[in-house]
Amino acid sequence: MRERLLLLLIIMLATAFFGEMKVNPFGGPFRFSLGIAAFFFGLLWFQSVPVLLIGFLTGAFTMWFRVGLDVVAYGAVWQESLFTHVPSAFYYFSFTLLFQLTRARRYVESPLLLGLIGATVDCASNLVELLAREISGVAPAITWESIMMLLFFGALRSFFAVGLYNSFSIRQVRAVGEVRQQELERLRMINTGLYEETFYLRKSMTQLEDITRESYQLYRHLLSSENTESSRALHIAEHVHEVKKDSQRMLAGLLKIINQKELSTRLSISELCGLVIRANQKYAEMLGKQILFTEKCNIILSTSQIYELLSVLNNLVANAVEAIPISGKIELLVEFEKRDIIFHVIDNGSGILQEDKGWIFELGYTTKYDREGKPSTGIGLTHAKGIIHSLDGMLTIIQESEPLTHFEVRIPTDQILRKEGVMCFGFS
C-alpha cells in the first residue's frame, strides 16, 4: 500500500511538473505539454497502479497545481483560474478511461500498435477537453486543421512515451541477462570444481573395488588354510565394501548436481575460453596483480565436454596467474592441427626450472608455498593431466626461452565433439 501511494505521488508530480513545458497552439489556455508523455509513461511502467484511480487523482492534482501556480506566480483570482483549468482535468479523466477500455497495457510487446493506440487516445482526450472549453465559452472552434494538429502532437507524445518505455525495458532486460549470465558462469565454475572431485572419486572407487576383491581372496585363502585370522580378513573386506557403497552414493549425488539440464548444454570453445579468462581476471584482481590477458580463439566449434575443459584450462591459467609476481601477461590460444584441437597457455611469470620440468606432473610435487611457508597440495597438474588422458589427449610443457612458460593441451577433435552428457561414469 505504501509503495503504491509513492508511485501515485511520483506520477502526479511528474505530470504536473512536465505539464508546464508547454505550447499554446490556439492562443488560449489550451496547451500541448510533456505532461501527458510523463503520464502515459507512468501508466506503462508502473503497471501495479490502478488506471482509473490514477487518472482521477492526476487530473485533480494537475488542475489544482495550475490554479496554485497562477495564484502564486501571477496573482490570479483562484475562482477564475479554477474555471480556466477544470477542462484539463477532463482530459486526464477521458485519457485513462479510454486507456482502460482499449486495454493498452496488453500491447506493450507491440510498440507500433501501442503508439497508435496512445496517439488515438490522446487525440480523443484533447477533443473532450476542447468540447469542455467550448461549452464554457473559452475555446476556439474545432476544425479539420485543429484535429490534424491534435493527431500530430498526440502521435509525437505517444511515440515518445512508448520509445522511452521500450528503452528502459531493454536496459532492464539486458541488466537481468547480465546478472543471469554471471550466475550461470559462477555455477559452471562451481560444477567444474565438483567435476574434478567426481573424476578422482571415480578413480578411487576403482581402487576400492580392487581392495575389496583382494581382501575377500585373502579371506578365502586364510579360511582354506584354517588360519585364525580369516575372520579378520573378512571383516576388513566387508568394511571396504561399505566404504565403496558410500562412495557410490556420493558419486551419484555429485553427478545429479553436475548433470543439471540448464548447465549441461553445449558451449562454444570461444565462450568457454572467455569464461576462463574472465574468471582469472577476477582472480588476478583479488591477488592485486596487473595482468594483461590475451585470448585468440577463431575456432567455430562447440562442445559438451564443458567441465573437463574448464577444469584443465582454469587450472593452467590460474597457475599462470600465481606464477606472475606483480605484473605480466597471459595468453590463451586455440588452433587446429590435423585432427587435433590444441590449447596453448603461455605466461611470462617466474618460469619453471629445467630440473623441475620432469617432476611437475607428479602427484604431490609443488613449488608453491603460502606466506606461512606451507606447501600447496601439488595435485592440480596431476588432475589436469588425468582429465586430458580421459579424453585421449596429451598435456605437455613446451620448451621456451625463459622465463616464458608454455603448456600445450592437445585433444582429438572427435572427443571435443562427443555428444554424450557431461560425464559418463558407470557403477560396478
Side-chain angles (χ1 to χ4, degrees), residues 88-157:
S88 63
F90 283 94
Y91 173 88
Y92 291 97
F93 300 160
S94 60
F95 187 96
T96 48
L97 180 61
L98 293 171
F99 185 91
Q100 182 75 358
L101 290 174
T102 57
R103 299 183 180 181
R105 282 176 173 170
R106 295 174 57 185
Y107 304 103
V108 291
E109 299 296 329
S110 305
L112 180 60
L113 180 58
L114 181 61
L116 291 174
I117 291 173
T120 304
V121 170
D122 189 344
C123 179
S125 302
N126 275 320
L127 287 173
V128 170
E129 181 181 347
L130 285 173
L131 285 172
R133 292 187 182 280
E134 189 173 5
I135 292 171
S136 63
V138 289
I142 300 175
T143 62
W144 282 110
E145 289 78 6
S146 62
I147 291 175
M148 293 302 296
M149 185 178 291
L150 294 179
L151 281 171
F152 173 76
F153 277 95
L156 196 65
R157 293 190 294 192

Side-chain angles (χ1 to χ4, degrees), residues 63 81-91 93 133:
M63 177 186 69
S81 179
L82 179 62
F83 182 77
T84 300
H85 294 300
V86 163
S88 63
F90 283 94
Y91 173 88
F93 300 160
R133 292 187 182 280

Side-chain angles (χ1 to χ4, degrees), residues 38-83:
F39 182 66
F40 190 20
F41 175 80
L43 290 177
L44 295 175
W45 190 257
F46 304 115
Q47 298 202 12
S48 62
V49 178
V51 174
L52 296 178
L53 176 63
I54 191 60
F56 178 81
L57 293 177
T58 302
F61 180 82
T62 303
M63 177 186 69
W64 285 108
F65 178 85
R66 294 175 182 177
V67 170
L69 192 63
D70 285 350
V71 172
V72 173
Y74 307 111
V77 178
W78 74 267
Q79 292 92 339
E80 294 179 359
S81 179
L82 179 62
F83 182 77

Side-chain angles (χ1 to χ4, degrees), residues 196-205 247 250-251 254:
E196 291 183 2
E197 301 306 320
T198 305
F199 183 88
Y200 280 90
L201 179 59
R202 179 67 179 88
K203 183 179 178 181
S204 298
M205 284 178 59
S247 298
M250 287 189 291
L251 182 58
L254 287 171

